[in-house]
Amino acid sequence: MAGTITGLRYQKRTVERVNVYLDGQYAFALPALDAARLKVGQHLSDVEIAELQATDDAAKAYDKAVRYLSYRPRSTAEVRRALEEAEFAPEAIEAALVRLAGQGYLDDAAFAAYWVENRQRFRPKGEQALRQELRRAGVDKEIIDESLDGMDSSEAAYAAAQPRATRLAGLAAEDPAAFKRKLGEFLLRRGFTYDVVRDVVARLLREVKEA
């Protein structure tokens, strides 16, 4: 593909990209910033073209990752998986991940902390469930341990179960055992341990009866 640059033209639909023409024929496209280093009449060898295309692939991988991260924070493994599914070359993926980490967009410790806080605020879950979710996201065990250190599982379970306990108030008066069973099963499905579930269910049963 080696040849002489005969044209550098901005794309009509994507103005931040430039089409590169070699010997009168379209050859490839580049981000405008990279294309700015080229000039008409410049000869490009096969090696130089390969390097430019690798740079472009890394830029495309980076742009896709940024869009993926715009919806919510992600772990490094999640971003890597998304780029692999988009069939980017391994080198482009690694370059994008390094760039994102350097800019602070990828930080597994911050991601794990966000995940735990978000869950506890909007959909409280037990430590077991949170560990499983973070493992699925590809977060290292040490980071998971740190993110869950100091977590108050009892208060999380209470927050998760209180609305349901209120809805089951009638059952608490008629059949306390059924109340405890239904509320306990709900909390166990949320990943809370048996000891935590037992104490929280007993606490809520008392509160509902006293209300």
Side-chain angles (χ1 to χ4, degrees):
M1 187 188 286
T4 300
I5 299 175
T6 53
L8 296 167
R9 302 174 189 169
Y10 284 97
Q11 294 183 354
K12 293 181 179 179
R13 293 185 178 181
T14 312
V15 294
E16 67 271 15
R17 290 182 62 79
V18 172
N19 292 333
V20 179
Y21 293 81
L22 297 179
D23 300 325
Q25 300 292 323
Y26 169 80
F28 52 89
L30 290 172
L33 187 62
D34 295 308
R37 297 195 292 267
L38 305 177
K39 60 183 180 181
V40 173
Q42 179 179 352
H43 180 80
L44 295 178
S45 67
D46 288 336
V47 171
E48 289 172 323
I49 291 171
E51 290 175 348
L52 287 170
Q53 290 178 320
T55 298
D56 186 40
D57 286 343
K60 288 179 180 177
Y62 171 84
D63 289 342
K64 183 173 182 63
V66 168
R67 290 194 297 273
Y68 186 56
L69 286 163
S70 68
Y71 300 103
R72 66 164 175 82
R74 309 275 183 175
S75 69
T76 302
E78 285 180 315
V79 176
R80 182 189 300 278
R81 192 178 306 131
L83 295 179
E84 288 173 345
E85 290 174 355
E87 299 184 347
F88 284 102
E91 296 80 6
I93 293 174
E94 291 304 320
L97 293 178
V98 169
R99 182 178 175 187
L100 289 164
Q103 294 173 330
Y105 291 131
L106 281 182
D107 182 335
D108 281 1
F111 166 77
Y114 154 83
W115 189 267
V116 172
E117 180 183 357
N118 185 269
R119 274 287 190 248
Q120 300 310 85
R121 180 178 298 179
F122 300 108
R123 188 177 172 81
K125 288 192 174 184
E127 184 176 322
Q128 293 175 351
L130 291 171
R131 283 186 181 279
Q132 186 176 18
E133 289 178 347
L134 290 171
R135 282 197 300 267
R136 282 201 299 266
V139 179
D140 290 341
K141 181 181 181 301
E142 293 76 11
I143 294 176
I144 295 175
D145 291 341
E146 183 177 348
S147 69
L148 295 173
D149 184 40
M151 174 181 166
D152 190 334
S153 295
S154 293
E155 287 306 309
Y158 180 82
Q162 191 176 35
R164 181 156 299 208
T166 301
R167 293 196 296 271
L168 294 173
L171 184 62
E174 298 171 5
D175 189 345
F179 172 90
K180 292 169 68 175
R181 185 181 67 254
K182 286 181 177 294
L183 201 57
E185 290 173 349
F186 167 75
L187 289 174
L188 289 171
R189 288 195 299 271
R190 287 288 188 92
F192 293 100
T193 64
Y194 175 78
D195 289 344
V196 168
V197 170
R198 180 195 59 212
D199 294 343
V200 169
V201 168
R203 173 185 173 186
L204 285 167
L205 179 59
R206 290 193 304 270
E207 291 180 359
V208 169
K209 284 185 173 182
E210 292 169 358

